């Protein structure tokens, strides 16, 4: 089976849905952020604060390239993966890139109680979310398919993706 990479903004449900899809399709679930943390031996927050975002992006890019070489995987990507053209090329080379989206209000609600996202650990997370969403819109638009998860349950999102994949000949 081709790889299926889930991209999209923080809080749109990528990790949860990727794990669910992997279970349904009986293939591997890979989480890029978890791989980065394992490789570096520290949390994403510590990587950002101790080594900086450019260093994080370099490691992220290397892991995306490595993982893209495999097949039969559902890949949960960090929200900024699409900012790098080579990442997008790698993820689409032998796979589909599916974007999960949600309204800013839903994103705020889903992310407000967690502190593991350095980009949102700021005084005004709402403003930051609006800014980043605006900047990133054209990058997320490169996905092969997009699902708005705002009013959907996890199961409904998975069903939507599965039926799209079926149309593409993926079972
Ligand atoms: C980021 C999203 C995070 C993580 C890092 C940067 C981003 O992943 O990769 O904090 O730039 O949007 P999630 O989207 O899984 O929260």
């Amino acid at each position: 089976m081709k790889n299926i990479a889930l991209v999209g903004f923080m809080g749109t449900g990528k990790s949860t849905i990727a794990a669910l899809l992997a279970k349904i399709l009986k293939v591997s679930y890979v989480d890029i952020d978890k791989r980065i943390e394992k490789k570096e031996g520290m949390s994403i927050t510590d990587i950002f604060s101790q080594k900086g975002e450019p260093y994080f992006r370099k490691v992220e890019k290397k892991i995306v390239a490595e993982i893209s070489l495999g097949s039969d995987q559902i890949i949960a990507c960090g929200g900024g993966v699409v900012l790098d053209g080579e990442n997008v090329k790698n993820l689409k080379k032998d796979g589909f890139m599916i974007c999960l989206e949600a309204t800013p209000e839903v994103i705020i609600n889903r992310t407000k109680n967690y502190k593991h996202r350095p980009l949102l650990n700021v005084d005004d997370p709402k403003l930051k979310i609006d800014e980043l969403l605006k900047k990133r819109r054209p990058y997320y638009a490169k996905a092969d398919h997009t699902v708005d998860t705002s009013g959907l349950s996890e199961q409904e999102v998975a069903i939507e993706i599965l039926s799209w994949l079926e149309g593409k000949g993926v079972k």
Side-chain angles (χ1 to χ4, degrees):
M1 192 193 83
K2 279 183 175 228
N3 288 329
I4 296 151
L6 297 190
V7 300
F9 203 78
M10 295 169 270
T12 52
K14 292 164 293 186
S15 301
T16 310
I17 302 299
L20 183 57
L21 285 176
K23 202 170 149 193
I24 296 169
L25 292 166
K26 298 190 176 63
V27 293
S28 316
Y29 161 56
V30 180
D31 189 302
I32 303 273
D33 279 349
K34 295 237 167 66
R35 289 284 176 102
I36 295 171
E37 290 184 326
K38 196 168 165 209
K39 185 167 191 290
E40 293 297 303
M42 61 173 103
S43 68
I44 302 286
T45 306
D46 286 345
I47 300 172
F48 266 71
S49 66
Q50 292 176 29
K51 301 193 160 183
E53 184 174 347
Y55 178 83
F56 170 81
R57 297 297 173 200
K58 234 162 57 188
V59 181
E60 183 178 55
K61 186 167 179 166
K62 205 157 167 245
I63 303 235
V64 168
E66 280 168 21
I67 288 176
S68 301
L69 296 174
S71 63
D72 300 284
Q73 308 168 99
I74 311 288
I75 308 165
C77 300
V81 149
V82 291
L83 301 173
D84 184 292
E86 240 175 273
N87 287 345
V88 173
K89 221 159 93 188
N90 278 330
L91 292 170
K92 287 178 126 188
K93 195 170 56 196
D94 203 15
F96 292 113
M97 194 168 99
I98 298 178
C99 182
L100 301 187
E101 59 179 23
T103 62
E105 292 69 32
V106 169
I107 289 172
I108 288 159
N109 269 321
R110 286 187 190 159
T111 55
K112 69 180 175 199
N113 294 324
Y114 299 95
K115 288 276 160 260
H116 66 281
R117 295 184 174 97
L119 293 177
L120 301 183
N121 287 340
V122 293
D123 289 341
D124 190 346
K126 175 160 179 8
L127 183 69
K128 186 74 182 177
I129 287 169
D130 285 342
E131 274 173 18
L132 286 175
L133 276 174
K134 200 170 156 210
K135 189 172 146 224
R136 292 180 175 187
R137 197 154 288 132
Y139 297 94
Y140 292 133
K142 292 182 180 152
D144 299 302
H145 181 56
T146 299
V147 182
D148 186 346
T149 67
S150 303
L152 302 182
S153 69
E154 291 164 15
Q155 284 73 16
E156 285 169 331
V157 176
I159 288 167
E160 216 281 344
I161 293 173
L162 289 169
S163 78
W164 183 82
L165 286 171
E166 211 176 295
K168 294 282 167 194
V170 178
K171 53 167 190 59

